């Protein structure tokens, strides 16, 4: 190893040390005041829709006809021959995935979560139907999805994440965590927290929180560590574990607030963070 290689390794170790330090600070500080207040405002607006403390009523609209060439189409979804748009809620996807998994129809489970994730953004020649068609054409898809379900059942969410990462061309974490999230409702993990969705929007929310903690603690004054660990994609299984631990702890924090339902599930926080903005200074 030459001197330059040694310096590069040392720099990498120092960066990881700082990243771990920011993670530890976030785990202690959790959600700052401005975020708690912003989420309280979100709940005040959405309390009637999510009265059961879950985002099960969170509904998207999609156009079935745009997915006409997709095989393994779940019967619970509107037929692709239907005209116009249809609605699909989280609760409906959860039920569809549970039914599919009982029959080991892994592709149907994936299709339901993918269509819900894309909604009307899935256009005939766009990244929705065409990308899903390529994913479904992959010979190893069933084995990869089955391995993830087994890993979740026997080990936990981070292991299920690792079982899918890089295994299916075109299926990245923003969408396979949707599969894991809905699968986790039917197949509880052996240990650890329930899986949650992690996509680019949620990663950017975490980046904003991490950057603020890094500045306040002195571990990441310029925000470079936050930008590194909370990038726009390709998160490691360790990063997913950090995310889940933070989200579940933050959900407990919010449950003690008068402005948030005491019985709310962690996925209500995920749903809220997706659409909530806040000022960075308290």
């Amino acid at each position: 190893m030459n001197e330059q290689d040694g310096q590069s390794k040392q720099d990498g170790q120092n960066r990881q040390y700082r990243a771990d330090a920011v993670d530890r600070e976030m785990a202690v500080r959790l959600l700052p005041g401005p975020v708690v207040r912003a989420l309280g405002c979100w709940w005040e607006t959405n309390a009637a829709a999510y009265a059961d403390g879950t985002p099960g009523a969170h509904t998207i609209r999609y156009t079935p006809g745009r997915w006409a060439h997709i095989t393994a189409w779940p019967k619970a979804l509107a037929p692709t021959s239907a005209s116009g748009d249809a609605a699909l809620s989280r609760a409906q996807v959860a039920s569809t995935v549970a039914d599919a998994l009982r029959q080991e129809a892994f592709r149907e489970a994936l299709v339901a979560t993918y269509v819900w994730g894309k909604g009307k953004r899935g256009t005939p020649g766009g990244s929705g139907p065409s990308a899903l068609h390529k994913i479904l054409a992959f010979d190893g898809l069933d084995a990869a999805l089955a391995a993830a379900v087994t890993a979740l059942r026997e080990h936990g969410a981070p292991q299920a994440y690792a079982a899918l990462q890089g295994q299916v061309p075109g299926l990245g974490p923003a969408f396979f965590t949707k599969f894991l999230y809905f699968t986790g409702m039917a197949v509880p993990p052996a240990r650890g927290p329930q899986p949650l969705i992690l996509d680019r929007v949620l990663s950017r929310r975490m980046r904003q929180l991490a950057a603020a903690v890094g500045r306040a603690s002195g571990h990441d004054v310029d925000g470079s560590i936050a930008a590194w660990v909370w990038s726009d994609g390709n998160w490691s299984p360790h990063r997913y574990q950090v995310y889940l631990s933070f989200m579940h702890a933050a959900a407990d924090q919010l449950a003690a607030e008068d402005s948030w339902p005491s019985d709310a599930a962690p996925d209500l926080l995920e749903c809220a963070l997706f659409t909530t903005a806040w000022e960075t200074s308290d």
Side-chain angles (χ1 to χ4, degrees):
M1 177 183 294
N2 60 38
E3 183 177 345
Q4 184 176 1
D5 289 339
Q7 184 62 47
S8 178
K9 182 177 180 180
Q10 184 177 359
D11 290 344
Q13 291 173 338
N14 180 56
R15 186 165 67 160
Q16 186 59 59
Y17 173 83
R18 292 168 61 201
D20 293 342
V22 172
D23 288 342
R24 288 192 295 269
E25 287 288 341
M26 286 184 66
V28 172
R29 302 182 187 214
L30 296 175
L31 299 171
V35 181
V36 171
R37 290 191 290 273
L39 289 168
C41 291
W42 180 91
W43 175 246
E44 184 177 357
T45 301
N46 292 278
Y50 306 126
D52 63 351
T54 79
H58 176 206
T59 299
I60 62 93
R61 298 197 65 78
Y62 67 107
T63 306
R66 292 176 175 172
W67 303 82
H69 63 302
I70 296 300
T71 56
W73 190 256
K75 293 181 179 178
L77 271 61
T80 56
S81 58
S83 59
D85 293 343
L88 185 62
S89 70
R90 289 199 189 207
Q92 289 171 318
V93 176
S95 176
T96 300
V97 168
D99 289 343
L101 293 179
R102 279 192 288 269
Q103 304 170 55
E104 296 189 346
F106 302 111
R107 289 168 177 257
E108 287 191 16
L110 177 64
V111 168
T113 63
Y114 200 98
V115 171
W116 176 84
K118 276 291 179 184
K120 292 197 69 174
R121 291 178 296 159
T123 56
S127 63
S130 60
L132 181 56
H133 187 266
K134 292 176 182 177
I135 290 168
L136 294 172
F138 177 60
D139 288 340
L141 177 61
D142 291 285
L145 296 176
V149 173
T150 298
L152 183 64
R153 180 187 293 114
E154 296 182 357
H155 301 287
Q159 291 82 359
Y161 183 101
L164 274 176
Q165 188 175 35
Q167 296 302 306
V168 180
L171 184 60
F175 276 87
F176 73 62
T177 58
K178 293 177 175 67
F179 173 81
L180 293 178
Y181 163 65
F182 287 108
T183 294
M185 296 182 186
V187 182
R191 64 184 68 88
Q194 288 284 119
L196 295 170
I197 297 168
L198 175 59
D199 59 17
R200 183 173 61 181
V201 172
L202 289 160
S203 182
R204 288 179 177 180
R205 298 286 189 268
M206 296 298 293
R207 187 189 311 168
Q208 186 178 359
L209 291 169
V213 167
R215 287 193 301 272
S217 65
H219 294 302
D220 182 26
V221 177
D222 64 357
S224 60
I225 296 297
W228 174 50
V229 298
W230 297 109
S231 60
D232 280 350
N234 197 32
W235 309 285
S236 68
H238 169 71
R239 187 54 32 195
Y240 187 57
Q241 183 174 27
V242 169
Y243 170 71
L244 293 182
S245 296
F246 177 87
M247 291 290 283
H248 282 258
D252 290 339
Q253 173 196 6
L254 282 174
E257 298 284 338
D258 293 337
S259 58
W260 194 258
S262 60
D263 59 346
D267 54 348
L268 185 69
L269 171 58
E270 169 261 301
C271 181
L273 280 179
F274 188 86
T275 56
T276 300
W278 59 85
E279 296 296 328
T280 55
S281 58
D282 200 341

